[in-house]
Amino acid sequence: MGRVEGKVALITGAARGQGRSHALRLAQEGAEIIAVDSCEDAKTTPYPQARREDLDETVRQIEELDRRVLARVADVRELGALESAVADGVSEFGRLDIVSANAGIASFAPAWELSEDVWQEMIDVNLTGVWKTCKAAIPAMLAAGNGGSIVLTSSTAGLVAFGNLAHYTAAKHGVTGLMRVLAVELAQHGIRCNSVHPTVVNTDMIQNQAIYELFTGVEGATKAQATEAYKNVNAIPIPWVDPVDISNAVLWLASDEARYVTGTTQAVDAGGTQPYRFPNVV
């Protein structure tokens, strides 16, 4: 029996990257999946977002695992769309046990150079969108009376500061605070809430020209140059972790193995948030 056998999971940002990985990992362990993604570009990010074809590919891979999946195109900024996706999923599968509020975007600039539009879209997607996901999902979990697990995707930027990412850091710190409040409010209902805090993850969010130049400070920087620069973020000398590394943390938090774990910040950061580091001694 899988570790989440018989459970139903809602995942936002499921079309690619971490969201697809979370969906597949939970499906591998027995969950049915409600996969949600906006499938359209954000207005202020320097890289394209997922498309409907990406969400369809997520569906195909889940079905190859012989698990059921319901996919919906919905923007986490639109509460009604999220509520409809949840309602459709509960109608199809009969319950909701797990929420992975994963959808997010990235952009960058010094705090005083951020435009109002860039700031607002970041907060709307990365913080308010997480709250709206929870607002849409929690009533169904309460009505079912089965308890459950909510996992909010924050970041190492939800624990420490990063230059050129004031809006992102503020949003991710907000997610951490939201998680702690939900853990307190939902404990009496047997619903746990935790956050995951990835370091750099090997997805389209970091594999693009704009982010290469940010991390290297070099115009026209190559992926190879950025790969070396990314290592400076981590204590373990690797440039990034893989999406499945985060998915394994999400799976554990969603499973009964973590049945008494709530209100925690689970860092998957290759040691990057440790306050003191020492150079390797040869």
Side-chain angles (χ1 to χ4, degrees):
M1 175 178 282
R3 294 156 73 187
V4 288
E5 191 77 32
K7 296 185 178 182
V8 177
L10 168 70
I11 300 163
T12 63
R16 70 181 188 194
Q18 290 187 56
R20 177 187 288 173
S21 179
H22 300 346
L24 293 174
R25 192 71 189 91
L26 290 168
Q28 287 168 355
E29 292 289 337
E32 318 287 5
I33 305 297
I34 306 168
V36 172
D37 203 289
S38 68
C39 297
E40 64 179 11
D41 287 341
K43 294 180 179 178
T44 62
T45 59
Y47 60 95
Q49 308 303 307
R51 294 292 186 264
R52 180 61 202 238
E53 307 89 79
D54 298 306
L55 184 58
D56 291 342
E57 176 61 18
T58 297
V59 169
R60 187 191 68 78
Q61 292 189 36
I62 292 170
E63 290 178 340
E64 276 194 345
L65 296 169
D66 198 27
R67 306 311 306 171
R68 293 185 296 165
V69 55
L70 181 143
R72 289 290 182 268
V73 174
D75 192 311
V76 294
R77 291 170 289 188
E78 298 175 6
L79 179 60
L82 290 170
E83 289 173 333
S84 293
V86 170
D88 289 347
V90 172
S91 176
E92 180 76 15
F93 302 131
R95 58 191 293 162
L96 179 62
D97 306 277
I98 300 162
V99 176
S100 171
N102 163 80
I105 60 173
S107 58
F108 57 89
W112 59 94
E113 293 181 6
L114 291 168
S115 71
E116 289 182 272
D117 288 344
V118 170
W119 174 274
Q120 195 60 57
E121 186 167 52
M122 180 65 67
I123 300 301
D124 288 347
V125 175
N126 284 20
L127 178 54
T128 306
V130 172
W131 169 72
K132 288 185 178 182
T133 300
C134 295
K135 181 174 173 61
I138 288 170
M141 300 175 78
L142 293 174
N146 298 314
S149 174
I150 299 172
V151 183
L152 309 185
T153 299
S154 182
S155 166
T156 51
L159 300 172
V160 298
F162 284 88
N164 293 300
L165 292 171
H167 54 337
Y168 186 86
T169 300
K172 292 301 189 179
H173 271 70
V175 168
T176 306
L178 175 63
M179 174 275 293
R180 288 173 170 147
V181 172
L182 290 176
V184 171
E185 292 180 342
L186 295 172
Q188 63 183 312
H189 303 287
I191 299 173
R192 300 175 292 105
C193 188
N194 298 278
S195 52
V196 290
H197 298 259
T199 181
V200 178
V201 185
N202 188 20
T203 68
D204 294 278
M205 184 179 282
I206 66 109
Q207 298 294 10
N208 63 78
Q209 189 62 46
I211 303 300
Y212 295 163
E213 294 179 1
L214 172 66
F215 271 78
T216 62
V218 176
E219 186 175 352
T222 65
K223 180 179 179 179
Q225 289 173 306
T227 298
E228 289 303 308
Y230 290 146
K231 291 180 181 179
N232 295 326
V233 176
N234 304 317
I236 298 173
I238 57 171
W240 48 64
V241 297
D242 292 320
V244 71
D245 295 310
I246 316 305
S247 301
N248 285 332
V250 171
L251 170 62
W252 179 70
L253 290 169
S255 75
D256 290 341
E257 295 168 11
R259 60 183 179 167
Y260 300 130
V261 178
T262 194
T264 69
T265 55
Q266 299 291 319
V268 186
D269 67 349
T273 56
Q274 297 305 308
Y276 301 104
R277 296 194 217 149
F278 300 93
N280 292 331
V281 177
V282 179

